Amino acid sequence: MEAAVDLPFEGLYRPDRTGLGFTLDSAEVARRSTWALLGEWLVAASVEAPCAAEGLGAAHEWFWRGSERTLGTVPDVEVSLDLSEPAELRALMPYLLDPMAAATRRDVLNAHSTAHERRTRKAAGVYYTPGDVAHLMVQRVCSAEEAPDGHLWFDPAHGSGVFLRAVLSAIYDQPGARERIYGVDLDPIAAETTSFVLTAEDLVRSPEGPEPWRRWHRFRRNLATGDALLIDAAAVPDQPMLSFDTDERPVDGHPLGYYEPWRLDDVFPETAETGFTRVVANPPYAPLKRSAASIHIAQLHPVTGSAAGQDVSPVFVELCSNLLPGDGALAIVLPLSVVSSTRSPFPELRVHMSEQPGWLELLSFDRVPDALFGDDIKTRNAMVHLDKSASPNLTASPLYRWTSRTREKALRDIPVTSIAGIEGVPRVVPKIGRQWERELLVECAAHTHFLENWHTRRQQMPLTGLSHSVGEGQSDVLALAPTAYNFLGVMRDPHRAVTDGHDSQNGFSILHFDSEQHAAAAYAMLSSRLAFWLWHVTGDGFHVTGAVHRRLPVPSRDACRVERLADLGDRLWKTALEKPVVSSNRGRTTVAYPTWPYADLIDEIDSEVGDFLGVEYGARLAAWHEHLIVVDLDSERRNLIRRKT
């Protein structure tokens, strides 16, 4: 199609507002013209216009009817697509109009030609936002106080318009809704595809009214091409600014921020008085691509900007929070690191966000059984929700799990609880959703003796580096696996795994204790549901770090209890040895000895631990753990993994 199309692109699609960073490389004219034709056809098909059945040329004439513009030459191409479900087609429009192939793992398996697109998409950190996630985030922001004249909405990385369409759908019946939606994206084609997506939504909701091309240009004038990381959000800018005092369109021809920082109220002067009071985003998760203006990022974003070379997503969070006025609210979806990572700038960013006025909510989502971004993009994610007009609070959710069967209800009923005032928050964010979890966490932190006080030395090494078994003199050690999911991988006799075939070179934590009794008691403690719960709510749901040793309370000056725990640890280890779990990955074998199926012994351990903590947590944590691993208790298939007794 690119070889046959000949459209007066600028005459048709150049925005009627200057200063939006409109960029058109001559080598891109045919490509962008073709995507525009496809966008016009999708608009026609999604509203069931008869011309859609006649092909691209007919849809092009329908779209521009009454404009009296030169329409150019369109190849006579019929689009072979089932038009019987226009609502489904419309729902898919943002994804169909993304020039980058979907390129998920499943796509690559089905068609190796998309492998390059998968690598490109991953390098750019750009992933589809599912429609239900976009609507969920918009609804959470909409629940905040509504302004008398309506809020101005903004997406700093709008892509093909998933969020902006969700916004339009949510506020459509409000006065001036169409004029209150704004966005920025670095890709020059993004503003055009988003305008088609919004035009289709508008036509379906209001069939009578302006022609499609008028609606398209109305949306297009509020979408800029530029680098959002170069936006100066300061109340009084102290950076060089672009000038808009001439009719020569000085900033068109390259994206905004190409040379220096820029301000939204210069590009969209009608927003200067109120600012953008509602912000939604799914920013890219990728390292900064250096440009001539990148040197300004650290100064524009002092909390996160210096780390942009590693990942730009936290910079977007700081930008969005600084854009908000006093009555503003935002919702941003990111990788889980924004909630769980201890690496700079994430702890500093969490402190910065918690110091904002109002209510900060941090929602966490696990990657299985069903991931937030779908089964093809298995990532752990977080949503950051800030409402500056609300009463001060800091709330969090569990590291939430659901199945595809329960997804709709699960996203609607995310449990949250306040974590304000807990020691260490917000540099550490406990992922809890119930008041009893908060109370248990506070009780654990109040103790003064922890697992790290028991062990005398800690090494990090592969199990194959151990040359002796417990029976040959190393009875004062145990090993803790570097990762976990439904149980902590603890071994009372680390070398036993090697004799059972373990040859993985991943490093385990080898813990040395001052006695065999303390090692056995520590094994019991690390096998308790309390230890697993502490790891799960304070970590990232995968990596096992030294934080477990620092947070797991152990008995102090209670020799009888330590003896009972050691006996339980010995009995549990002997039982676990009967059913090792052997798995292979990339030519390496891993052996584990899960203990969670042995509920009776775990119950006894939890009872002992609950006694010295002074908290009867056993029944609650047993139910919590069962729900965590089964997820959907009403599913017959999921109940096949219900714990055995």
Side-chain angles (χ1 to χ4, degrees):
M1 287 179 59
E2 289 183 27
V5 69
D6 183 15
L7 301 184
F9 191 89
E10 292 203 43
L12 295 174
Y13 306 107
R14 185 173 192 132
D16 56 21
R17 186 206 292 257
T18 61
L20 293 178
F22 177 77
T23 305
L24 182 64
D25 189 311
S26 59
E28 284 285 290
V29 172
R31 173 175 172 268
R32 282 169 64 180
S33 295
T34 302
W35 278 104
L37 290 174
L38 291 171
E40 293 168 2
W41 184 88
L42 285 168
V43 171
S46 66
V47 299
E48 300 182 87
C51 63
E54 301 174 25
L56 295 179
H60 184 57
E61 292 179 4
W62 168 84
F63 192 88
W64 291 99
R65 69 184 188 274
S67 69
E68 298 184 356
R69 303 189 186 200
T70 302
L71 301 186
T73 303
V74 178
D76 188 15
V77 176
E78 292 185 9
V79 183
S80 177
L81 195 65
D82 182 7
L83 302 181
S84 62
E85 298 291 342
E88 184 174 309
L89 185 66
R90 192 168 66 256
L92 290 171
M93 271 192 72
Y95 316 109
L96 296 172
L97 285 174
D98 188 336
M100 197 182 299
T104 63
R105 285 177 291 198
R106 187 175 299 171
D107 293 317
V108 173
L109 290 173
N110 291 338
H112 293 290
S113 61
T114 63
H116 172 71
E117 281 79 1
R118 174 171 166 79
R119 289 191 295 269
T120 302
R121 186 177 288 279
K122 187 173 182 179
V126 177
Y127 296 97
Y128 292 146
T129 307
D132 59 350
V133 173
H135 283 281
L136 167 69
M137 293 170 62
V138 169
Q139 288 300 323
R140 292 188 96 83
V141 175
C142 278
S143 64
E145 184 179 346
E146 188 59 39
D149 298 327
H151 293 289
L152 297 181
W153 290 76
F154 179 65
D155 183 346
H158 65 72
S160 53
V162 178
F163 277 112
L164 296 184
R165 182 180 64 177
V167 171
L168 182 62
S169 175
I171 69 170
Y172 195 83
D173 294 331
Q174 299 175 13
R178 302 172 186 86
E179 287 75 29
R180 294 192 279 115
I181 298 173
Y182 293 80
V184 171
D185 200 281
L186 190 56
D187 188 348
I189 202 173
E192 292 147 19
T193 55
T194 294
S195 297
F196 287 116
V197 170
L198 297 177
T199 298
E201 186 75 16
D202 189 29
L203 279 166
V204 168
R205 291 177 174 272
S206 298
E208 303 298 327
E211 298 89 345
W213 65 272
R214 292 188 189 275
R215 303 181 195 230
W216 187 92
H217 271 287
R218 179 176 54 203
F219 292 119
R220 179 65 182 88
R221 65 183 285 107
N222 285 359
L223 303 174
T225 299
D227 189 343
L229 297 181
L230 271 296
I231 294 174
D232 190 336
V236 180
D238 58 1
Q239 296 279 357
M241 292 294 113
L242 298 176
S243 172
F244 290 82
D245 298 332
T246 173
D247 293 331
E248 298 299 323
R249 297 177 176 173
V251 296
D252 286 335
H254 55 75
L256 300 167
Y258 188 80
Y259 295 115
E260 53 197 350
W262 59 288
R263 290 183 64 82
L264 286 167
D265 51 12
D266 284 337
V267 178
F268 306 116
E270 69 275 15
T271 69
E273 183 176 348
T274 62
F276 293 103
T277 51
R278 294 293 180 265
V279 179
V280 286
N282 172 18
Y285 321 145
L288 176 69
K289 290 185 177 180
R290 297 288 176 182
S291 69
S294 297
I295 58 172
H296 298 287
I297 290 178
Q299 183 176 354
L300 291 169
H301 314 290
V303 177
T304 60
S306 60
Q310 303 169 8
D311 181 7
V312 299
S313 65
V315 187
F316 274 88
V317 179
E318 182 182 358
L319 164 69
C320 293
S321 68
N322 292 339
L323 283 173
L324 292 182
D327 61 345
L330 63 78
I332 308 175
V333 61
L334 307 111
L336 187 64
S337 50
V338 73
V339 170
S340 64
S341 178
T342 58
R343 172 175 54 85
S344 183
F346 293 105
E348 296 84 354
L349 176 61
R350 292 192 288 270
V351 171
H352 171 75
M353 295 297 291
S354 69
E355 291 173 346
Q356 304 297 309
W359 169 34
L360 176 64
E361 180 179 64
L362 303 170
L363 307 178
S364 303
F365 303 92
D366 212 337
R367 65 193 293 267
V368 289
D370 190 32
L372 191 67
F373 279 54
D375 285 342
D376 285 323
I377 303 175
K378 289 290 190 182
T379 59
R380 294 176 178 87
N381 291 94
M383 286 184 195
V384 177
H385 173 214
L386 173 66
D387 180 2
K388 288 189 174 183
S389 66
S391 300
N393 202 357
L394 174 56
T395 57
S397 80
L399 185 55
Y400 202 38
R401 294 181 182 178
W402 63 87
T403 66
S404 57
R405 193 181 76 89
T406 63
R407 178 182 177 103
E408 182 178 356
K409 183 178 185 301
L411 290 181
R412 190 173 60 244
D413 301 329
I414 301 171
V416 298
T417 195
S418 175
I419 59 172
I422 297 179
E423 184 180 355
V425 172
R427 297 190 73 87
V428 173
V429 175
K431 289 167 283 299
I432 57 178
R434 308 293 180 190
Q435 179 63 22
W436 69 264
E437 291 186 276
R438 176 191 169 100
E439 294 168 0
L440 180 56
L441 193 65
V442 170
E443 190 63 39
C444 288
H447 280 256
T448 58
H449 212 64
F450 300 91
L451 184 66
E452 65 177 1
N453 300 120
W454 274 5
H455 58 71
T456 59
R457 186 159 55 100
R458 177 185 169 198
Q459 297 173 279
Q460 198 76 16
M461 62 186 297
L463 295 185
T464 52
L466 297 170
S467 56
H468 302 287
S469 69
V470 166
E472 298 175 22
Q474 288 193 356
S475 58
D476 60 346
V477 302
L478 59 81
L480 184 60
T483 59
Y485 186 60
N486 283 331
F487 62 92
L488 294 177
V490 194
M491 299 178 188
R492 181 66 184 87
D493 178 358
H495 193 263
R496 174 61 183 267
V498 179
T499 62
D500 284 345
H502 181 100
D503 63 4
S504 170
Q505 295 304 295
N506 291 330
F508 278 60
S509 289
I510 310 300
L511 307 180
H512 298 255
F513 295 85
D514 57 6
S515 69
E516 180 177 358
Q517 185 182 67
H518 269 157
Y523 175 77
M525 291 294 305
L526 285 169
S527 300
S528 69
R529 297 188 187 96
L530 178 68
F532 179 78
W533 174 81
L534 280 170
W535 164 79
H536 193 267
V537 303
T538 60
D540 65 1
F542 184 62
H543 299 96
V544 180
T545 68
V548 175
H549 314 169
R550 296 190 296 272
R551 295 193 176 104
L552 180 60
V554 296
S556 175
R557 301 186 183 91
D558 190 343
C560 291
R561 194 177 303 280
V562 172
E563 183 178 356
R564 289 196 297 271
L565 284 169
D567 177 65
L568 286 167
D570 286 339
R571 289 162 54 196
L572 182 63
W573 174 242
K574 290 176 182 177
T575 304
L577 284 175
E578 297 174 2
K579 293 183 178 180
V581 174
V582 181
S583 57
S584 298
N585 185 22
R586 297 181 180 179
R588 292 288 186 176
T589 299
T590 299
V591 179
Y593 304 91
T595 57
W596 64 267
Y598 310 112
D600 291 343
L601 284 170
I602 300 297
D603 287 344
E604 290 187 60
I605 293 171
D606 281 336
S607 178
E608 286 287 348
V609 178
D611 283 347
F612 84 76
L613 279 179
V615 179
E616 290 297 328
Y617 70 82
R620 278 178 164 165
L621 276 190
W624 171 87
H625 187 248
E626 182 171 68
H627 187 272
L628 183 78
I629 61 174
V630 178
V631 183
D632 182 2
L633 298 178
D634 295 327
S635 166
E636 181 178 349
R637 185 177 65 87
R638 294 294 303 177
N639 268 280
L640 292 176
I641 60 174
R642 187 182 289 270
R643 64 187 171 95
K644 305 289 192 298
T645 59

